Amino acid sequence: MKTKALRLYGVDDLRLEEIELPAPGADELLVKIVSDSICMSSYKAAKQGSAHKRVPNDIAENPIIIGHEFCGEIIEAGKNVAHKYPAGRKFTLQPAMKGTYDAAGYSFKYLGGNAQYGIIPKCYLDQNCVLLYEGDGFFHGSLTEPLSCVIGAVHANYHTRQGEYVHDMGIKEGGNMAVLAGCGPMGLALIDYIIHCDRKPKLLVVTDINQERLTGAEAMLTCAEAAKNGVNLVYLNTQTPDAMDKMMEITAGHGFDDAFVFAPVAKLIEQADALLAYDGCLNFFAGPEDTAFSASLNFYNVHYNATHIVGTSGGNTADMAEALEMAVAGKLNPAFLVSHIGGLDAAAQTTKDLPKLPGFKKLIYNEISMPLTAIADFAEKGKTDALLKMLAEICERHNGLWSVEAEDYLLKHAPKL
């Protein structure tokens, strides 16, 4: 069958094309991909081409389909797997497999989020990376992949026991936690998770140097909601000379047991390092483009104060299952991450421009044609566009957020690609 797909041929060479898909093999799935949220990692793949660790060297001759935060429906399952993956079921995919850099959205000719249909190969089924999705709509499923990344980061932190060679995995329960540059989409996802998960700090300080971002974050993830769940949440603008002193004051001089850095800025890493308490864990979450990126660390504290550093590049399948379970149960609300909506014909330019675009997650629907449009602009543009007028009214009913109701309306009424 034929599908429209956005394929990567080289650095900044993204082409929306119609291609022929093979029939699924006995251990493969043919899937319809409804939604994909565009990740900064896709931008990096487009900027680096084959220099990216996950992208093959021969994409000029064998282009790959880009996009890895997707959700859809199983159309056909091969005879060996049909009992486990029934046609008609919604699914999402953990793109990062164990033991390989190969991943959907980076490495495969027939599988990526920016396509209307795809073939999920046997390697994903062997590792149980295809997760059946029980929730309403599709965009929640797309956003569980970024949610799983922050869940994995939290699980990757560790603490030690003095005199023992044991690592206790996870953030310090009841401890002090900081999220530096934490008001972007992934930072917001982390805050949401920390407020509502089972293992919480007593103090969570979220910093940014942009007051508008801080105010927006606090409006979505309120200090009152955090307090209701046992977390003292503080938003702090660190664009002041005494910012470090203020952060230490908030902890009564103890420092932070867990510090997460959400921007690839050397100064931020060095600040986080200086804020660590005894046995403090610094999690460098932000993936840099520069392969020589580095920062200074205090090795006196490594030796005498047991400070340490970790980093993750995505979550695992268990993290994604946890994200799905919490989203379906209403404990996480991925809707506040979505700021823009577009069709597959907007995906290429959106991917290339991603760092320059305002707002949070850009959500692409593959079967429709639609320019990338901010939800905040629906009402104004709706004065001359009937589709956007109705979407604005629906979003208004949902506190200005994207919703299953809005998704259903879009898929029924937007022009098909």
Side-chain angles (χ1 to χ4, degrees), residues 36-333:
D36 179 79
S37 61
I38 296 182
C39 177
M40 187 62 75
S41 296
S42 293
Y43 163 78
K44 293 171 187 173
K47 295 301 290 185
Q48 295 174 6
S50 292
H52 193 285
K53 281 185 177 293
R54 296 186 184 275
V55 177
N57 292 325
D58 63 345
I59 55 172
E61 297 78 32
N62 294 292
I64 57 90
I65 300 174
I66 204 163
H68 60 275
E69 298 179 358
F70 56 88
C71 183
E73 180 183 343
I74 297 171
I75 301 300
E76 181 183 345
K79 64 179 182 179
N80 294 341
V81 294
H83 64 288
K84 190 174 180 180
Y85 302 101
R89 293 291 299 276
K90 292 177 187 168
F91 80 96
T92 187
L93 184 83
Q94 166 54 261
M97 294 179 287
K98 296 177 183 177
T100 177
Y101 277 117
D102 288 348
Y106 303 93
S107 316
F108 291 98
K109 188 175 181 178
Y110 299 121
L111 181 63
N114 291 144
Q116 295 171 328
Y117 294 88
I119 299 292
I120 299 181
K122 181 177 184 294
C123 53
Y124 272 110
L125 277 62
D126 288 345
Q127 293 199 22
N128 295 312
C129 290
V130 179
L131 304 177
L132 298 181
Y133 172 52
E134 304 295 341
D136 294 327
F138 292 93
F139 77 95
H140 284 168
S142 281
L143 292 169
T144 54
E145 196 283 331
L147 289 175
S148 78
C149 295
V150 299
I151 292 172
V154 171
H155 290 167
N157 269 35
Y158 70 91
H159 296 278
T160 60
R161 305 175 197 174
Q162 196 167 18
E164 298 182 33
Y165 303 114
V166 175
H167 288 175
D168 291 324
M169 302 307 297
I171 63 168
K172 185 173 182 180
E173 191 166 12
N176 299 330
M177 176 174 163
V179 186
L180 279 63
C183 292
M186 299 304 286
L188 293 175
L190 177 64
I191 299 164
D192 193 23
Y193 176 70
I194 287 297
I195 290 173
H196 298 106
C197 70
D198 294 333
R199 186 184 182 110
K200 302 182 181 73
K202 68 180 179 184
L203 172 68
L204 175 60
V205 179
V206 179
T207 78
D208 206 292
I209 59 173
N210 183 303
Q211 189 57 48
E212 185 178 354
R213 285 198 298 262
L214 281 161
T215 301
E218 187 171 2
M220 289 185 281
L221 293 161
T222 67
C223 299
E225 172 68 12
K228 187 175 72 175
N229 288 279
V231 178
N232 177 19
L233 175 58
V234 177
Y235 289 98
L236 183 66
N237 190 323
T238 50
Q239 187 74 317
T240 58
D242 61 345
M244 295 284 286
D245 292 336
K246 286 182 179 178
M247 292 192 72
M248 290 301 291
E249 286 173 13
I250 293 171
T251 70
H254 174 81
F256 290 88
D257 304 292
D258 297 279
F260 290 74
V261 178
F262 269 66
V265 177
K267 183 180 177 181
L268 283 178
I269 296 169
E270 291 160 7
Q271 288 176 343
D273 181 43
L275 291 167
L276 292 177
Y278 180 87
D279 189 36
C281 186
L282 192 164
N283 189 306
F284 179 55
F285 183 87
E289 288 183 61
D290 182 2
T291 58
F293 177 79
S294 61
S296 296
L297 294 176
N298 186 322
F299 281 88
Y300 179 92
N301 287 338
V302 170
H303 187 81
Y304 288 106
N305 290 329
T307 60
H308 44 275
I309 185 167
V310 300
T312 52
S313 181
N316 63 23
T317 305
D319 300 325
M320 199 158 180
E322 183 179 353
L324 276 173
E325 181 181 348
M326 291 182 70
V328 171
K331 293 181 179 180
L332 296 178
N333 181 18

Side-chain angles (χ1 to χ4, degrees), residues 392-414:
E393 293 175 5
I394 295 171
C395 290
E396 182 63 27
R397 290 199 291 271
H398 294 271
N399 299 314
L401 300 178
W402 194 242
S403 64
V404 173
E405 183 185 3
E407 178 181 89
D408 287 344
Y409 188 87
L410 178 77
L411 293 175
K412 288 177 184 174
H413 297 281

